[in-house]
PDB file of all heavy atoms in Angstrom:
ATOM      1  N   GLY A   1       0.574 -11.642 -18.903  1.00  0.00           N
ATOM      2  CA  GLY A   1       1.532 -10.675 -18.754  1.00  0.00           C
ATOM      3  C   GLY A   1       1.055  -9.420 -18.201  1.00  0.00           C
ATOM      4  O   GLY A   1       1.462  -8.786 -17.337  1.00  0.00           O
ATOM      5  N   ALA A   2      -0.079  -8.976 -19.029  1.00  0.00           N
ATOM      6  CA  ALA A   2      -0.842  -7.785 -18.610  1.00  0.00           C
ATOM      7  C   ALA A   2      -1.379  -7.921 -17.160  1.00  0.00           C
ATOM      8  O   ALA A   2      -1.361  -6.860 -16.413  1.00  0.00           O
ATOM      9  CB  ALA A   2      -1.799  -7.414 -19.647  1.00  0.00           C
ATOM     10  N   LEU A   3      -1.953  -9.123 -16.768  1.00  0.00           N
ATOM     11  CA  LEU A   3      -2.323  -9.211 -15.424  1.00  0.00           C
ATOM     12  C   LEU A   3      -1.398  -9.114 -14.386  1.00  0.00           C
ATOM     13  O   LEU A   3      -1.598  -8.453 -13.393  1.00  0.00           O
ATOM     14  CB  LEU A   3      -3.135 -10.636 -15.354  1.00  0.00           C
ATOM     15  CG  LEU A   3      -3.709 -11.000 -14.170  1.00  0.00           C
ATOM     16  CD1 LEU A   3      -4.891  -9.899 -13.835  1.00  0.00           C
ATOM     17  CD2 LEU A   3      -4.339 -12.393 -14.166  1.00  0.00           C
ATOM     18  N   LEU A   4      -0.183  -9.593 -14.675  1.00  0.00           N
ATOM     19  CA  LEU A   4       0.940  -9.480 -13.722  1.00  0.00           C
ATOM     20  C   LEU A   4       1.436  -8.111 -13.474  1.00  0.00           C
ATOM     21  O   LEU A   4       1.518  -7.688 -12.368  1.00  0.00           O
ATOM     22  CB  LEU A   4       2.008 -10.481 -14.242  1.00  0.00           C
ATOM     23  CG  LEU A   4       3.326 -10.439 -13.272  1.00  0.00           C
ATOM     24  CD1 LEU A   4       3.066 -10.904 -11.890  1.00  0.00           C
ATOM     25  CD2 LEU A   4       4.539 -11.121 -14.005  1.00  0.00           C
ATOM     26  N   ARG A   5       1.451  -7.483 -14.667  1.00  0.00           N
ATOM     27  CA  ARG A   5       1.823  -5.835 -14.513  1.00  0.00           C
ATOM     28  C   ARG A   5       0.747  -5.178 -13.837  1.00  0.00           C
ATOM     29  O   ARG A   5       1.106  -4.350 -12.965  1.00  0.00           O
ATOM     30  CB  ARG A   5       2.045  -5.353 -15.926  1.00  0.00           C
ATOM     31  CG  ARG A   5       3.262  -5.890 -16.712  1.00  0.00           C
ATOM     32  CD  ARG A   5       3.512  -4.976 -17.930  1.00  0.00           C
ATOM     33  NE  ARG A   5       2.359  -5.237 -18.813  1.00  0.00           N
ATOM     34  CZ  ARG A   5       2.324  -6.086 -19.786  1.00  0.00           C
ATOM     35  NH1 ARG A   5       3.333  -6.976 -19.886  1.00  0.00           N
ATOM     36  NH2 ARG A   5       1.323  -6.172 -20.682  1.00  0.00           N
ATOM     37  N   ARG A   6      -0.489  -5.497 -13.948  1.00  0.00           N
ATOM     38  CA  ARG A   6      -1.618  -4.882 -13.310  1.00  0.00           C
ATOM     39  C   ARG A   6      -1.601  -5.223 -11.881  1.00  0.00           C
ATOM     40  O   ARG A   6      -1.743  -4.164 -10.840  1.00  0.00           O
ATOM     41  CB  ARG A   6      -2.818  -5.245 -13.935  1.00  0.00           C
ATOM     42  CG  ARG A   6      -4.178  -4.563 -13.259  1.00  0.00           C
ATOM     43  CD  ARG A   6      -5.455  -5.063 -14.004  1.00  0.00           C
ATOM     44  NE  ARG A   6      -6.580  -4.652 -13.310  1.00  0.00           N
ATOM     45  CZ  ARG A   6      -7.430  -5.254 -12.571  1.00  0.00           C
ATOM     46  NH1 ARG A   6      -7.049  -6.484 -12.289  1.00  0.00           N
ATOM     47  NH2 ARG A   6      -8.506  -4.657 -11.979  1.00  0.00           N
ATOM     48  N   ASN A   7      -1.322  -6.401 -11.396  1.00  0.00           N
ATOM     49  CA  ASN A   7      -1.318  -6.744 -10.071  1.00  0.00           C
ATOM     50  C   ASN A   7      -0.131  -6.029  -9.347  1.00  0.00           C
ATOM     51  O   ASN A   7      -0.244  -5.555  -8.102  1.00  0.00           O
ATOM     52  CB  ASN A   7      -1.059  -8.303  -9.885  1.00  0.00           C
ATOM     53  CG  ASN A   7      -2.478  -9.015  -9.806  1.00  0.00           C
ATOM     54  OD1 ASN A   7      -3.520  -8.332  -9.939  1.00  0.00           O
ATOM     55  ND2 ASN A   7      -2.404 -10.326  -9.955  1.00  0.00           N
ATOM     56  N   LEU A   8       1.011  -6.000  -9.975  1.00  0.00           N
ATOM     57  CA  LEU A   8       2.231  -5.345  -9.400  1.00  0.00           C
ATOM     58  C   LEU A   8       1.983  -3.808  -9.184  1.00  0.00           C
ATOM     59  O   LEU A   8       2.397  -3.294  -8.207  1.00  0.00           O
ATOM     60  CB  LEU A   8       3.455  -5.622 -10.215  1.00  0.00           C
ATOM     61  CG  LEU A   8       3.974  -7.061 -10.282  1.00  0.00           C
ATOM     62  CD1 LEU A   8       5.166  -7.225 -11.307  1.00  0.00           C
ATOM     63  CD2 LEU A   8       4.443  -7.574  -8.890  1.00  0.00           C
ATOM     64  N   LEU A   9       1.333  -3.269 -10.202  1.00  0.00           N
ATOM     65  CA  LEU A   9       1.131  -1.781 -10.177  1.00  0.00           C
ATOM     66  C   LEU A   9       0.039  -1.509  -9.182  1.00  0.00           C
ATOM     67  O   LEU A   9       0.262  -0.517  -8.308  1.00  0.00           O
ATOM     68  CB  LEU A   9       0.664  -1.314 -11.608  1.00  0.00           C
ATOM     69  CG  LEU A   9       0.409   0.212 -11.670  1.00  0.00           C
ATOM     70  CD1 LEU A   9       1.628   0.970 -11.332  1.00  0.00           C
ATOM     71  CD2 LEU A   9      -0.202   0.504 -13.095  1.00  0.00           C
ATOM     72  N   ILE A  10      -0.976  -2.184  -9.212  1.00  0.00           N
ATOM     73  CA  ILE A  10      -2.193  -1.872  -8.229  1.00  0.00           C
ATOM     74  C   ILE A  10      -1.976  -2.443  -6.832  1.00  0.00           C
ATOM     75  O   ILE A  10      -1.976  -1.683  -5.846  1.00  0.00           O
ATOM     76  CB  ILE A  10      -3.574  -2.224  -8.833  1.00  0.00           C
ATOM     77  CG1 ILE A  10      -3.731  -1.453 -10.120  1.00  0.00           C
ATOM     78  CG2 ILE A  10      -4.690  -1.890  -7.836  1.00  0.00           C
ATOM     79  CD1 ILE A  10      -5.042  -1.831 -10.842  1.00  0.00           C
ATOM     80  N   TYR A  11      -1.838  -3.681  -6.795  1.00  0.00           N
ATOM     81  CA  TYR A  11      -1.875  -4.379  -5.515  1.00  0.00           C
ATOM     82  C   TYR A  11      -0.458  -4.487  -4.894  1.00  0.00           C
ATOM     83  O   TYR A  11      -0.261  -4.477  -3.689  1.00  0.00           O
ATOM     84  CB  TYR A  11      -2.434  -5.728  -5.456  1.00  0.00           C
ATOM     85  CG  TYR A  11      -3.913  -5.690  -5.938  1.00  0.00           C
ATOM     86  CD1 TYR A  11      -4.347  -5.811  -7.300  1.00  0.00           C
ATOM     87  CD2 TYR A  11      -4.891  -5.406  -5.006  1.00  0.00           C
ATOM     88  CE1 TYR A  11      -5.612  -5.689  -7.697  1.00  0.00           C
ATOM     89  CE2 TYR A  11      -6.231  -5.194  -5.365  1.00  0.00           C
ATOM     90  CZ  TYR A  11      -6.634  -5.412  -6.675  1.00  0.00           C
ATOM     91  OH  TYR A  11      -7.860  -5.400  -7.037  1.00  0.00           O
ATOM     92  N   GLY A  12       0.649  -4.555  -5.703  1.00  0.00           N
ATOM     93  CA  GLY A  12       2.134  -4.562  -5.237  1.00  0.00           C
ATOM     94  C   GLY A  12       2.362  -3.102  -4.743  1.00  0.00           C
ATOM     95  O   GLY A  12       2.799  -2.979  -3.583  1.00  0.00           O
ATOM     96  N   LEU A  13       2.116  -2.126  -5.567  1.00  0.00           N
ATOM     97  CA  LEU A  13       2.470  -0.772  -5.107  1.00  0.00           C
ATOM     98  C   LEU A  13       1.530  -0.347  -4.102  1.00  0.00           C
ATOM     99  O   LEU A  13       1.934   0.257  -3.061  1.00  0.00           O
ATOM    100  CB  LEU A  13       2.378   0.151  -6.348  1.00  0.00           C
ATOM    101  CG  LEU A  13       2.691   1.708  -6.059  1.00  0.00           C
ATOM    102  CD1 LEU A  13       4.192   1.775  -5.622  1.00  0.00           C
ATOM    103  CD2 LEU A  13       2.587   2.424  -7.320  1.00  0.00           C
ATOM    104  N   GLY A  14       0.171  -0.732  -4.159  1.00  0.00           N
ATOM    105  CA  GLY A  14      -0.774  -0.376  -3.157  1.00  0.00           C
ATOM    106  C   GLY A  14      -0.452  -0.947  -1.831  1.00  0.00           C
ATOM    107  O   GLY A  14      -0.581  -0.477  -0.686  1.00  0.00           O
ATOM    108  N   GLY A  15       0.073  -2.348  -1.870  1.00  0.00           N
ATOM    109  CA  GLY A  15       0.596  -2.917  -0.726  1.00  0.00           C
ATOM    110  C   GLY A  15       1.642  -2.422   0.103  1.00  0.00           C
ATOM    111  O   GLY A  15       1.811  -2.604   1.298  1.00  0.00           O
ATOM    112  N   ILE A  16       2.515  -1.681  -0.584  1.00  0.00           N
ATOM    113  CA  ILE A  16       3.569  -1.019  -0.063  1.00  0.00           C
ATOM    114  C   ILE A  16       3.080   0.404   0.517  1.00  0.00           C
ATOM    115  O   ILE A  16       3.518   0.835   1.690  1.00  0.00           O
ATOM    116  CB  ILE A  16       4.744  -0.732  -0.964  1.00  0.00           C
ATOM    117  CG1 ILE A  16       5.319  -2.113  -1.353  1.00  0.00           C
ATOM    118  CG2 ILE A  16       5.746   0.189  -0.510  1.00  0.00           C
ATOM    119  CD1 ILE A  16       6.522  -2.109  -2.391  1.00  0.00           C
ATOM    120  N   VAL A  17       2.295   1.111  -0.273  1.00  0.00           N
ATOM    121  CA  VAL A  17       1.945   2.516   0.092  1.00  0.00           C
ATOM    122  C   VAL A  17       0.983   2.560   1.213  1.00  0.00           C
ATOM    123  O   VAL A  17       1.043   3.239   2.151  1.00  0.00           O
ATOM    124  CB  VAL A  17       1.340   3.210  -1.029  1.00  0.00           C
ATOM    125  CG1 VAL A  17       0.808   4.565  -0.708  1.00  0.00           C
ATOM    126  CG2 VAL A  17       2.468   3.469  -2.177  1.00  0.00           C
ATOM    127  N   VAL A  18      -0.050   1.728   1.144  1.00  0.00           N
ATOM    128  CA  VAL A  18      -1.211   1.712   2.189  1.00  0.00           C
ATOM    129  C   VAL A  18      -0.633   1.458   3.605  1.00  0.00           C
ATOM    130  O   VAL A  18      -1.093   2.226   4.439  1.00  0.00           O
ATOM    131  CB  VAL A  18      -2.230   0.564   1.824  1.00  0.00           C
ATOM    132  CG1 VAL A  18      -3.301   0.418   2.928  1.00  0.00           C
ATOM    133  CG2 VAL A  18      -2.888   1.069   0.476  1.00  0.00           C
ATOM    134  N   PRO A  19       0.179   0.547   3.796  1.00  0.00           N
ATOM    135  CA  PRO A  19       0.771   0.472   5.193  1.00  0.00           C
ATOM    136  C   PRO A  19       1.476   1.600   5.662  1.00  0.00           C
ATOM    137  O   PRO A  19       1.389   1.931   6.950  1.00  0.00           O
ATOM    138  CB  PRO A  19       1.689  -0.864   5.049  1.00  0.00           C
ATOM    139  CG  PRO A  19       1.211  -1.627   3.885  1.00  0.00           C
ATOM    140  CD  PRO A  19       0.791  -0.606   2.951  1.00  0.00           C
ATOM    141  N   PHE A  20       2.249   2.237   4.750  1.00  0.00           N
ATOM    142  CA  PHE A  20       2.926   3.430   5.233  1.00  0.00           C
ATOM    143  C   PHE A  20       2.004   4.451   5.645  1.00  0.00           C
ATOM    144  O   PHE A  20       2.225   5.070   6.762  1.00  0.00           O
ATOM    145  CB  PHE A  20       3.873   4.026   4.164  1.00  0.00           C
ATOM    146  CG  PHE A  20       5.162   3.355   4.018  1.00  0.00           C
ATOM    147  CD1 PHE A  20       5.409   2.177   3.127  1.00  0.00           C
ATOM    148  CD2 PHE A  20       6.338   3.923   4.639  1.00  0.00           C
ATOM    149  CE1 PHE A  20       6.660   1.647   3.005  1.00  0.00           C
ATOM    150  CE2 PHE A  20       7.491   3.260   4.649  1.00  0.00           C
ATOM    151  CZ  PHE A  20       7.762   2.177   3.782  1.00  0.00           C
ATOM    152  N   VAL A  21       0.942   4.720   5.013  1.00  0.00           N
ATOM    153  CA  VAL A  21      -0.113   5.631   5.395  1.00  0.00           C
ATOM    154  C   VAL A  21      -0.815   5.298   6.589  1.00  0.00           C
ATOM    155  O   VAL A  21      -1.082   6.038   7.536  1.00  0.00           O
ATOM    156  CB  VAL A  21      -1.097   5.932   4.209  1.00  0.00           C
ATOM    157  CG1 VAL A  21      -2.175   6.904   4.556  1.00  0.00           C
ATOM    158  CG2 VAL A  21      -0.334   6.517   2.976  1.00  0.00           C
ATOM    159  N   GLY A  22      -1.328   3.906   6.612  1.00  0.00           N
ATOM    160  CA  GLY A  22      -2.102   3.367   7.653  1.00  0.00           C
ATOM    161  C   GLY A  22      -1.273   3.369   8.903  1.00  0.00           C
ATOM    162  O   GLY A  22      -1.932   3.718  10.026  1.00  0.00           O
ATOM    163  N   ILE A  23      -0.116   2.916   9.015  1.00  0.00           N
ATOM    164  CA  ILE A  23       0.621   2.668  10.248  1.00  0.00           C
ATOM    165  C   ILE A  23       0.961   4.147  10.837  1.00  0.00           C
ATOM    166  O   ILE A  23       0.915   4.468  11.984  1.00  0.00           O
ATOM    167  CB  ILE A  23       1.980   1.928   9.997  1.00  0.00           C
ATOM    168  CG1 ILE A  23       1.604   0.435   9.719  1.00  0.00           C
ATOM    169  CG2 ILE A  23       2.901   1.956  11.213  1.00  0.00           C
ATOM    170  CD1 ILE A  23       2.742  -0.469   9.303  1.00  0.00           C
ATOM    171  N   LYS A  24       1.363   5.006   9.857  1.00  0.00           N
ATOM    172  CA  LYS A  24       1.554   6.535  10.377  1.00  0.00           C
ATOM    173  C   LYS A  24       0.293   6.994  11.008  1.00  0.00           C
ATOM    174  O   LYS A  24       0.310   7.729  12.081  1.00  0.00           O
ATOM    175  CB  LYS A  24       2.007   7.285   9.119  1.00  0.00           C
ATOM    176  CG  LYS A  24       2.327   8.679   9.608  1.00  0.00           C
ATOM    177  CD  LYS A  24       3.369   8.875  10.720  1.00  0.00           C
ATOM    178  CE  LYS A  24       3.744  10.376  10.982  1.00  0.00           C
ATOM    179  NZ  LYS A  24       4.656  10.480  12.046  1.00  0.00           N
ATOM    180  N   ALA A  25      -0.852   6.858  10.400  1.00  0.00           N
ATOM    181  CA  ALA A  25      -2.163   7.402  10.981  1.00  0.00           C
ATOM    182  C   ALA A  25      -2.366   6.763  12.284  1.00  0.00           C
ATOM    183  O   ALA A  25      -2.794   7.537  13.305  1.00  0.00           O
ATOM    184  CB  ALA A  25      -3.224   7.167   9.935  1.00  0.00           C
ATOM    185  N   ILE A  26      -2.271   5.548  12.452  1.00  0.00           N
ATOM    186  CA  ILE A  26      -2.516   4.859  13.673  1.00  0.00           C
ATOM    187  C   ILE A  26      -1.564   5.300  14.807  1.00  0.00           C
ATOM    188  O   ILE A  26      -1.898   5.523  15.997  1.00  0.00           O
ATOM    189  CB  ILE A  26      -2.445   3.266  13.520  1.00  0.00           C
ATOM    190  CG1 ILE A  26      -3.597   2.727  12.666  1.00  0.00           C
ATOM    191  CG2 ILE A  26      -2.597   2.557  14.745  1.00  0.00           C
ATOM    192  CD1 ILE A  26      -3.345   1.258  12.214  1.00  0.00           C
ATOM    193  N   ASP A  27      -0.230   5.512  14.372  1.00  0.00           N
ATOM    194  CA  ASP A  27       0.731   5.973  15.304  1.00  0.00           C
ATOM    195  C   ASP A  27       0.370   7.355  15.774  1.00  0.00           C
ATOM    196  O   ASP A  27       0.485   7.662  17.001  1.00  0.00           O
ATOM    197  CB  ASP A  27       2.124   6.073  14.598  1.00  0.00           C
ATOM    198  CG  ASP A  27       3.220   6.661  15.509  1.00  0.00           C
ATOM    199  OD1 ASP A  27       3.566   6.032  16.293  1.00  0.00           O
ATOM    200  OD2 ASP A  27       3.428   7.807  15.140  1.00  0.00           O
ATOM    201  N   LEU A  28      -0.206   8.257  15.070  1.00  0.00           N
ATOM    202  CA  LEU A  28      -0.572   9.546  15.402  1.00  0.00           C
ATOM    203  C   LEU A  28      -1.707   9.478  16.453  1.00  0.00           C
ATOM    204  O   LEU A  28      -1.712  10.121  17.448  1.00  0.00           O
ATOM    205  CB  LEU A  28      -1.027  10.386  14.273  1.00  0.00           C
ATOM    206  CG  LEU A  28       0.087  10.807  13.191  1.00  0.00           C
ATOM    207  CD1 LEU A  28      -0.465  11.543  12.041  1.00  0.00           C
ATOM    208  CD2 LEU A  28       1.039  11.770  13.997  1.00  0.00           C
ATOM    209  N   VAL A  29      -2.695   8.468  16.163  1.00  0.00           N
ATOM    210  CA  VAL A  29      -3.819   8.322  16.984  1.00  0.00           C
ATOM    211  C   VAL A  29      -3.467   7.764  18.414  1.00  0.00           C
ATOM    212  O   VAL A  29      -3.839   8.355  19.455  1.00  0.00           O
ATOM    213  CB  VAL A  29      -4.846   7.407  16.414  1.00  0.00           C
ATOM    214  CG1 VAL A  29      -5.987   7.079  17.281  1.00  0.00           C
ATOM    215  CG2 VAL A  29      -5.492   8.041  15.134  1.00  0.00           C
ATOM    216  N   ILE A  30      -2.649   6.831  18.382  1.00  0.00           N
ATOM    217  CA  ILE A  30      -2.293   6.081  19.720  1.00  0.00           C
ATOM    218  C   ILE A  30      -1.338   7.009  20.519  1.00  0.00           C
ATOM    219  O   ILE A  30      -1.305   6.986  21.698  1.00  0.00           O
ATOM    220  CB  ILE A  30      -1.751   4.657  19.457  1.00  0.00           C
ATOM    221  CG1 ILE A  30      -0.335   4.687  18.804  1.00  0.00           C
ATOM    222  CG2 ILE A  30      -2.733   3.735  18.837  1.00  0.00           C
ATOM    223  CD1 ILE A  30       0.252   3.261  18.618  1.00  0.00           C
ATOM    224  N   THR A  31      -0.528   7.749  19.846  1.00  0.00           N
ATOM    225  CA  THR A  31       0.257   8.778  20.528  1.00  0.00           C
ATOM    226  C   THR A  31      -0.529   9.864  21.180  1.00  0.00           C
ATOM    227  O   THR A  31      -0.287  10.260  22.326  1.00  0.00           O
ATOM    228  CB  THR A  31       1.348   9.407  19.563  1.00  0.00           C
ATOM    229  OG1 THR A  31       2.122   8.292  19.009  1.00  0.00           O
ATOM    230  CG2 THR A  31       2.291  10.371  20.388  1.00  0.00           C
TER     231      THR A  31
END
């Protein structure tokens, strides 16, 4: 249970946040 919560918090939330930041940064560069 603790492992699932940890995965959702770190890798689940991180998996959502990182693309937003990364895609926006790449968009600025290619533009």
Side-chain angles (χ1 to χ4, degrees):
L3 181 61
L4 178 60
R5 289 192 297 272
R6 179 172 175 267
N7 274 353
L8 291 176
L9 180 63
I10 298 176
Y11 297 98
L13 184 60
I16 293 175
V17 172
V18 170
F20 275 90
V21 176
I23 291 173
K24 179 61 179 178
I26 295 171
D27 176 72
L28 292 173
V29 171
I30 63 176
T31 301

